[in-house]
């Protein structure tokens, strides 16, 4: 039996150390300028079953600068899910992102992005901890301020989330839980210059399961972004409020 002390050490290593190491390693190789912002992300996620194998992903994120007062980003994402097993799922989808000038190193103007993505997501457990792994590949078309045409980028992402029930062995309706995740982003391809490391996100939250279909999380996100020039590193302290609402339109047998 694995001890609680060892479990928490494992979660710490998996969720926090990789992002810390990557950001500091990259920063050490360039003359670094640090910009700090306070943001708020208000988000909805839904994975809705249409049949035994197929489903629909829906997602809207309102990202705000200065916690809530100023616009930062609008993100709308959708996709088609295919269930490989009860604990593994493939998704093919599309996202639209609109980014606004914000913070200490703002863009010159609002700019759009169109994105196609493919991902594999699966879950496993270790005693009371439930882990979610997500591997995502993105093809991005970004129209930077002052450009007439879109520039194409590739990016890969790995996300690891851990959930710990607080009331029993599993998270049941009307119960609280703890959640933490780390996600690292890496750019590649001919249009990427110095910012191969794109960003890292480290997150911790308190969650509450409303019912079998819905849960909410209130947490803190520490986001580190390396700007395309490779010199400016953006540190975003972010309040994150999330609603997860998964409906089942398929068979109830």
């Amino acid at each position: 039996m694995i001890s609680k002390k060892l479990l928490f050490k494992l979660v710490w290593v998996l969720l926090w150390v990789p992002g810390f190491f990557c950001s500091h390693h990259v920063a050490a190789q360039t003359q670094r300028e640090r910009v700090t912002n306070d943001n708020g992300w208000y988000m909805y996620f839904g994975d809705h079953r249409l049949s035994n194998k197929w489903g629909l992903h829906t997602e809207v994120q309102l990202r705000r600068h200065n916690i809530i007062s100023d616009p930062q980003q609008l993100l709308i994402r959708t996709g088609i899910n295919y269930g490989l097993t009860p604990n593994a799922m493939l998704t093919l989808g599309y996202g639209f992102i609109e980014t606004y000038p914000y913070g200490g190193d703002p863009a010159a103007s609002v700019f759009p992005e169109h994105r196609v993505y493919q991902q594999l997501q699966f879950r496993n457990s270790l005693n009371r901890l439930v882990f979610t792994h997500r591997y995502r590949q993105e093809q991005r078309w970004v129209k930077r301020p002052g450009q007439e045409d879109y520039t194409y980028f590739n990016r890969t992402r790995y996300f690891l989330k851990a959930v710990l029930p607080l009331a029993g062995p599993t998270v049941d309706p009307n119960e609280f839980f703890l959640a933490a995740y780390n996600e690292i982003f890496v750019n590649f391809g001919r249009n990427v210059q110095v910012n191969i490391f794109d960003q890292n996100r480290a997150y911790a939250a308190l969650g509450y399961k409303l019912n079998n279909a819905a849960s909410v999380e209130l947490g803190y996100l520490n986001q580190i972004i390396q700007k395309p020039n490779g010199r400016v590193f953006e540190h975003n302290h972010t309040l994150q409020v999330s609603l997860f609402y998964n409906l089942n339109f398929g068979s109830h047998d």
Side-chain angles (χ1 to χ4, degrees):
M1 182 67 68
I2 299 176
S3 68
K4 289 185 178 180
K5 185 176 181 180
L6 182 59
L7 279 175
F8 281 110
K9 284 183 178 180
L10 176 63
V11 172
W12 174 264
V13 170
L14 291 176
L15 296 178
W16 298 92
V17 173
F20 180 88
F21 174 79
C22 290
S23 64
H24 283 70
H25 175 72
V26 173
Q29 300 180 39
T30 185
Q31 184 178 359
R32 180 176 182 176
E33 178 181 338
R34 178 183 176 127
V35 175
T36 302
N37 300 303
D38 295 317
N39 300 323
W41 291 6
Y42 308 95
M43 306 181 294
Y44 153 80
F45 303 90
D47 285 304
H48 312 299
R49 287 183 56 184
L50 303 177
S51 69
N52 187 42
K53 290 288 187 180
W54 296 94
L56 177 67
H57 176 77
T58 55
E59 179 179 342
V60 178
Q61 299 189 28
L62 299 177
R63 299 176 175 177
R64 307 289 293 181
H65 179 52
N66 291 324
I67 306 301
I68 198 168
S69 61
D70 305 308
Q72 181 196 12
Q73 276 186 328
L74 168 67
L75 185 149
I76 301 171
R77 185 157 38 213
T78 189
I80 298 296
N81 297 328
Y82 179 77
L84 296 172
T85 71
N87 291 315
M89 181 170 64
L90 292 172
T91 303
L92 172 65
Y94 164 79
F96 172 78
I97 300 89
E98 190 167 64
T99 302
Y100 299 83
Y102 72 93
D105 185 44
S109 62
V110 179
F111 65 91
E113 174 183 344
H114 299 277
R115 187 182 301 172
V116 176
Y117 70 96
Q118 308 83 38
Q119 74 179 34
L120 168 65
Q121 180 174 296
F122 66 92
R123 294 182 179 181
N124 69 299
S125 60
L126 183 62
N127 291 347
R128 295 172 61 204
L129 281 169
V130 176
F131 293 97
T132 299
H133 308 258
R134 186 177 70 203
Y135 302 89
R136 179 179 290 173
Q137 180 67 39
E138 296 176 329
Q139 298 81 48
R140 307 169 64 207
W141 290 265
V142 182
K143 189 174 183 180
R144 299 292 187 189
Q147 295 180 347
E148 293 186 3
D149 299 319
Y150 286 84
T151 303
Y152 174 76
F153 299 96
N154 289 296
R155 187 167 68 184
T156 190
R157 302 163 56 167
Y158 171 62
F159 167 98
L160 173 60
K161 183 176 183 179
V163 171
L164 177 66
L166 292 180
T170 61
V171 179
D172 297 315
N174 303 311
E175 292 183 355
F176 288 95
F177 59 90
L178 296 178
Y181 73 68
N182 195 87
E183 185 171 19
I184 188 166
F185 299 60
V186 177
N187 296 315
F188 66 95
R190 62 184 178 88
N191 289 325
V192 177
Q193 298 178 5
V194 293
N195 64 325
I196 295 175
F197 167 79
D198 181 78
Q199 63 177 281
N200 192 84
R201 300 176 182 176
Y203 166 85
L206 176 66
Y208 182 75
K209 188 167 184 177
L210 300 169
N211 52 50
N212 287 326
S215 63
V216 293
E217 291 181 13
L218 176 65
Y220 166 75
L221 173 73
N222 184 282
Q223 181 189 34
I224 302 173
I225 302 174
Q226 184 183 20
K227 293 299 188 75
N229 60 22
R231 177 177 52 84
V232 177
F233 282 76
E234 187 176 292
H235 290 246
N236 293 321
H237 302 288
T238 304
L239 170 69
Q240 192 163 297
V241 182
S242 305
L243 169 65
F244 301 86
Y245 191 42
N246 303 318
L247 297 174
N248 186 357
F249 297 106
S251 172
H252 296 277
D253 295 340

